[in-house]
C-alpha cells in the first residue's frame, strides 16, 4: 500500500483554526472567575462583557482561571466614566508568595474632565519600586481601549492600543532578577483608594456618584498555560515569543515617554540619591 500524502492545510481549515483561537479567548464565563464583591461583578452579553462596580460597601474583582508562564495578554477596558476620583482599577499579572513577580497596570481615577493616571510597576522576586506613570492621549472613560502585556524571555512590553509605553528588559546578566519561572495569573479589581489615588489623596471619592463601573471586553491570552508543573504554549506562540521592539515601536515608545510620562523612578533623584537602580542604565527604561 502506498503512503498517502499528508492532507494539505486548506484555507478553510486555517481560517477555522485562526478563529478558534480568537473566539475561544473572549468568553469571560469560561476564562475568568469573579472572586470578590458578590453581585458587583457581572458577566453579560453571552460572556462578552464583564463589569465591576464599586460602592461604599465594597469593590469587586476577578482573576483568570489559568496561570501563564510567558505570553501576550490583551484586555479592552473602559474606565469609570464621569467623576472617578479616588477609585483605582487594577489590571495585572502576578504569581504567588513573598518572592512573587508582578506586572502592573493601575488606572487612577480623577474628577470629571481631569486626566486619569496610568500607573505601572514591575515586581521581581517580591521587590517592586519600579513605578512609571503616564497620562493617556485619549479619554479612557469614553471608550474601550486595549491594554496589553507582552511577556517573553527577553522583555516585558506594556502597550496601549498597540503603542508600547514601557519596556522592562531581561537584565539578569547584570544581576537584576527577571520573572522567568513563576507562573502568573491575571487579576483585575476596582476599589476605593482615596487615601492616595487622586492628586496624592487630596480628592476623595464622591459616593453620591456610586456605583462606579469599569467595563471589560475582548480578553485574549495568547500564552503558555501552566498545567501540572509545565508550561503549554498555544499554536500561535510564534507571534510573540521572539518579539521585541522594532524601530517603529521604539519610536512610538520614545514619543509616549517624551509626551505622556509624568513619573519615572529612574529619574527620581530624591528617592535614589545614590543614583538610579541598575536596570535604569539599560536603554528603553
Ligand atoms: C487629576 O487631575 C489633576 C489636575 O489636572 C492632575 O494634577 C492629576 O495628575 C490627575 N490625576 C490623578 C490621578 O490625580
Amino acid at each position: 500500500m502506498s503512503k498517502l500524502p499528508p492532507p494539505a492545510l486548506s484555507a478553510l481549515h486555517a481560517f477555522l483554526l485562526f478563529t478558534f483561537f480568537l473566539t475561544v479567548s473572549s468568553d469571560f464565563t469560561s476564562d475568568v472567575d469573579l472572586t470578590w464583591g458578590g453581585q458587583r461583578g457581572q458577566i453579560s452579553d453571552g460572556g462578552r462583557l464583564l463589569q465591576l462596580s464599586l460602592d461604599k460597601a465594597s469593590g469587586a474583582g476577578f482573576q483568570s482561571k489559568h496561570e501563564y508562564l510567558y505570553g501576550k495578554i490583551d484586555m479592552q477596558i473602559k474606565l469609570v466614566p464621569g467623576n472617578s476620583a479616588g477609585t483605582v482599577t487594577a489590571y495585572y499579572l502576578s504569581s504567588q508568595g513573598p518572592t512573587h513577580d508582578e506586572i502592573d497596570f493601575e488606572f487612577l481615577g480623577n474628577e470629571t474632565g481631569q486626566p486619569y493616571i496610568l500607573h505601572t510597576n514591575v515586581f521581581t522576586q517580591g521587590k517592586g519600586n519600579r513605578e512609571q506613570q503616564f497620562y493617556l492621549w485619549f479619554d479612557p472613560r469614553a471608550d474601550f481601549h486595549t491594554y496589553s502585556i507582552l511577556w517573553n524571555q527577553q522583555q516585558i512590553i506594556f502597550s496601549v492600543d498597540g503603542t508600547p509605553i514601557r519596556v522592562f528588559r531581561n537584565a539578569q546578566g547584570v544581576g537584576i532578577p527577571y520573572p522567568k519561572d513563576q507562573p502568573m495569573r491575571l487579576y483585575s479589581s476596582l476599589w476605593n483608594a482615596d487615601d492616595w489615588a487622586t492628586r496624592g489623596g487630596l480628592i476623595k471619592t464622591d459616593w453620591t456618584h456610586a456605583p462606579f463601573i469599569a467595563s471589560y471586553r475582548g480578553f485574549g491570552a495568547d500564552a503558555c498555560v501552566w498545567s501540572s508543573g509545565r508550561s503549554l504554549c498555544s499554536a500561535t506562540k510564534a507571534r510573540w515569543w521572539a518579539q521585541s521592539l522594532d524601530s517603529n515601536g521604539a519610536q512610538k515608545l520614545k514619543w509616549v515617554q517624551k509626551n505622556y510620562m509624568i513619573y519615572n523612578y529612574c529619574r527620581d533623584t530624591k528617592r535614589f540619591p545614590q543614583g538610579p537602580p541598575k536596570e535604569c542604565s539599560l536603554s528603553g527604561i
Side-chain angles (χ1 to χ4, degrees):
M1 226 166 79
S2 69
K3 246 186 166 174
L4 289 171
L9 184 68
S10 70
L12 177 65
H13 189 187
F15 173 72
L16 288 177
L17 265 180
F18 183 63
T19 49
F20 170 76
F21 277 109
L22 285 185
T23 52
V24 81
S25 57
S26 60
D27 182 351
F28 284 114
T29 320
S30 53
D31 293 344
V32 309
D33 291 313
L34 297 164
T35 41
W36 62 281
Q39 295 304 303
R40 294 176 189 83
Q42 294 280 347
I43 295 173
S44 60
D45 192 18
R48 283 184 285 271
L49 180 71
L50 188 157
Q51 291 186 302
L52 295 181
S53 80
L54 163 70
D55 55 45
K56 211 164 182 176
S58 177
F62 64 92
Q63 65 184 45
S64 61
K65 290 193 195 276
H66 290 302
E67 290 178 288
Y68 310 100
L69 186 58
Y70 298 124
K72 169 119 171 11
I73 307 288
D74 300 300
M75 183 78 81
Q76 293 173 27
I77 308 176
K78 185 176 167 205
L79 290 158
V80 176
N83 184 351
S84 56
T87 73
V88 171
T89 306
Y91 159 66
Y92 60 103
L93 289 172
S94 181
S95 61
Q96 310 263 316
T99 57
H100 76 293
D101 300 321
E102 191 175 314
I103 305 169
D104 281 333
F105 276 101
E106 280 186 6
F107 301 90
L108 317 184
N110 216 335
E111 296 171 289
T112 308
Q114 300 300 317
Y116 256 79
I117 287 178
L118 171 50
H119 173 98
T120 64
N121 205 352
V122 176
F123 284 70
T124 59
Q125 297 290 312
K127 210 177 139 282
N129 299 324
R130 299 192 177 100
E131 300 84 357
Q132 288 185 350
Q133 297 187 334
F134 307 84
Y135 286 144
L136 292 160
W137 49 95
F138 52 83
D139 179 2
R141 314 149 156 106
D143 262 307
F144 285 92
H145 290 270
T146 304
Y147 302 93
S148 311
I149 297 168
L150 180 140
W151 170 35
N152 63 26
Q153 288 174 314
Q154 289 80 44
Q155 70 251 296
I156 294 160
I157 304 178
F158 295 74
S159 24
V160 176
D161 290 334
T163 295
I165 61 160
R166 176 172 187 175
V167 176
F168 182 79
R169 290 183 208 284
N170 183 340
Q172 285 185 99
V174 294
I176 314 293
Y178 187 77
K180 65 170 197 311
D181 46 26
Q182 306 192 77
M184 298 203 249
R185 201 181 285 285
L186 173 76
Y187 297 88
S188 189
S189 53
L190 172 60
W191 40 288
N192 177 41
D194 66 1
D195 51 333
W196 63 271
T198 308
R199 294 176 60 195
L202 224 61
I203 313 290
K204 302 297 176 194
T205 304
D206 181 350
W207 293 109
T208 63
H209 293 284
F212 301 98
I213 295 175
S215 307
Y216 301 77
R217 274 195 334 211
F219 170 46
D222 189 357
C224 303
V225 172
W226 188 254
S227 162
S228 16
R230 283 204 313 148
S231 188
L232 306 172
C233 299
S234 74
T236 51
K237 166 185 160 209
R239 282 193 284 158
W240 55 265
W241 186 251
Q243 197 175 321
S244 59
L245 287 189
D246 56 12
S247 60
N248 181 35
Q251 222 166 358
K252 285 184 177 169
L253 177 70
K254 237 186 223 160
W255 172 76
V256 173
Q257 297 196 337
K258 175 161 177 262
N259 297 294
Y260 296 97
M261 185 187 265
I262 55 169
Y263 178 79
N264 182 358
Y265 75 110
C266 286
R267 305 205 187 115
D268 192 338
T269 49
K270 271 204 213 104
R271 207 168 144 201
F272 303 105
Q274 257 65 276
K278 255 202 269 182
E279 71 269 17
C280 294
S281 54
L282 298 163
S283 60
I285 303 187

